[in-house]
Amino acid sequence: MTGFGAGEASAHAQPLRVELRAVNHRHLDLRVRTPSELGDLSGLVEESLRARCGRGRIEAQVLWRSPSASGSELDFERARRAYQQLTQLRDELAPGQEVPFTAVFGVPGVFASKPWQRDDVEQALRLATEQAIDALTAMRAREGEALAADIRARLALVRKSAATIEEHRPSMLESAQKRLTKRVEKLLEGSAVGLDPARLVQEAAWFAEKSDVAEELTRLASHLDEFERSLSSHGESVGRKLDFVVQEIGRELNTIGSKANDADVSRQVVELKAELERIREQVQNIL
């Protein structure tokens, strides 16, 4: 499911921001970008995402400007020693010459990067990441509600078409019996050889069974009920379960289509498959 979430905390008086962008994906695919100073902390972001996000391609970006990036601090003690050493050297080599204070700035180590504590940054990073995941989850939930409403509407159409096929069952069986009768009559034309009545009944029963879609419609109704229950649940990997149920529904539709020797039923099956494909596409967006 798509979504965006951001969280922010403070580390060493510098704002630390985590931004998450998610798009649809069958599995969980994480990509984390951090400043060079926090490269070894990217695992903290991945850990939180894996714990709370089941599917989707998620891009995480950490924004933070470390104290060292905003400038360096003057080491007063080192500067004092450096200036004393410079004046001593002046007294030896050029007595009476002025030693400008700015000469201290060229001494290596006089300016040092501002230090920052790793623990403080880790805490801020975890807090900002959790906030970003909360925001992303809330946005995904709103999208999920809209998806569920759309899928339920399509399921209603599937049920309606299945009911129409059920209404055609008697006429389908009657047509099957007429086709069988015509075949038998054609076989008996001009033939003095009789047919075994018991064998004829057996063949008629087999033909009727192969033409009846009662079992497929029963299983289809069961799969639709299971789909509804799963869609209303809040467990993990709901999307994967729905994807499986959609496959089972497709199998039943294929069987009904192969058995049906009725133009109206065949048309209903085609429409059902088209609607099922739309449901399948929506299911790919569900976690």
Side-chain angles (χ1 to χ4, degrees):
M1 300 172 77
T2 60
F4 174 83
E8 191 168 301
S10 178
H12 293 283
Q14 297 289 337
L16 187 152
R17 181 177 174 85
V18 176
E19 295 181 352
L20 303 177
R21 293 174 173 81
V23 296
N24 301 325
H25 197 272
R26 288 178 61 86
H27 307 288
L28 182 61
D29 182 13
L30 303 179
R31 302 177 185 182
V32 181
R33 291 185 295 169
T34 64
S36 57
E37 300 95 327
L38 305 183
D40 60 334
L41 297 181
S42 61
L44 297 180
V45 180
E46 288 193 15
E47 179 184 349
S48 297
L49 290 172
R50 292 188 183 281
R52 298 183 56 187
C53 302
R55 297 170 73 181
R57 176 176 288 116
I58 302 177
E59 293 185 0
Q61 184 174 14
V62 180
L63 306 171
W64 183 63
R65 190 179 185 187
S66 69
S68 60
S70 60
S72 302
E73 291 183 337
L74 177 65
D75 189 329
F76 289 93
E77 185 59 33
R78 188 183 294 271
R80 291 190 187 96
R81 291 199 305 268
Y83 190 74
Q84 291 174 358
Q85 292 172 353
L86 287 173
T87 55
Q88 290 175 4
L89 183 62
R90 183 275 315 273
D91 292 341
E92 293 179 9
L93 301 179
Q97 292 291 325
E98 181 182 0
V99 179
F101 178 74
T102 54
V104 175
F105 299 158
V107 177
V110 170
F111 286 95
S113 299
K114 296 179 182 179
W116 54 275
Q117 296 296 323
R118 178 186 174 94
D119 291 345
D120 293 343
V121 176
E122 283 187 13
Q123 183 178 358
L125 182 59
R126 290 184 186 276
L127 177 59
T129 300
E130 290 299 321
Q131 291 177 357
I133 294 175
D134 288 341
L136 175 64
T137 302
M139 187 172 181
R140 280 178 154 185
R142 291 191 295 271
E143 181 185 354
E145 292 175 359
L147 282 175
D150 179 79
I151 290 175
R152 286 192 175 95
R154 298 186 185 281
L155 282 178
L157 295 176
V158 173
R159 289 186 184 277
K160 183 178 180 180
S161 295
T164 301
I165 294 176
E166 177 66 35
E167 293 175 357
H168 277 77
R169 272 191 62 232
S171 62
M172 289 170 60
L173 291 175
E174 183 179 353
S175 297
Q177 292 172 354
K178 289 181 179 180
R179 290 196 303 272
L180 178 61
T181 301
K182 288 182 179 180
R183 289 184 182 182
V184 172
E185 291 175 350
K186 187 174 182 179
L187 288 173
L188 294 177
E189 286 181 0
S191 174
V193 180
L195 293 179
D196 183 359
R199 179 65 182 274
L200 182 59
V201 171
Q202 182 181 5
E203 292 295 329
W206 178 85
F207 190 79
E209 181 182 354
K210 290 298 180 180
S211 302
D212 193 7
V213 295
E215 292 184 6
E216 287 75 18
L217 288 173
T218 299
R219 287 194 294 267
L220 176 60
S222 176
H223 293 327
L224 292 174
D225 291 341
E226 181 61 31
F227 193 100
E228 289 271 15
R229 286 191 294 269
S230 300
L231 190 62
S232 301
S233 68
H234 300 282
E236 295 183 359
S237 301
V238 173
R240 292 187 177 91
K241 182 176 182 180
L242 292 177
D243 194 21
F244 171 77
V245 177
V246 166
Q247 294 180 24
E248 295 303 306
I249 294 174
R251 289 193 179 95
E252 301 303 333
L253 292 180
N254 288 334
T255 305
I256 293 173
S258 64
K259 283 187 173 184
N261 196 353
D262 182 280
D264 291 334
V265 172
S266 297
R267 183 170 58 255
Q268 289 290 335
V269 170
V270 171
E271 293 177 359
L272 276 170
K273 287 183 177 181
E275 204 62 51
L276 185 66
E277 186 58 32
R278 298 186 187 99
I279 293 175
R280 189 196 307 276
E281 292 175 359
Q282 296 288 47
V283 165
Q284 301 306 314
N285 301 329
I286 298 178
L287 299 180

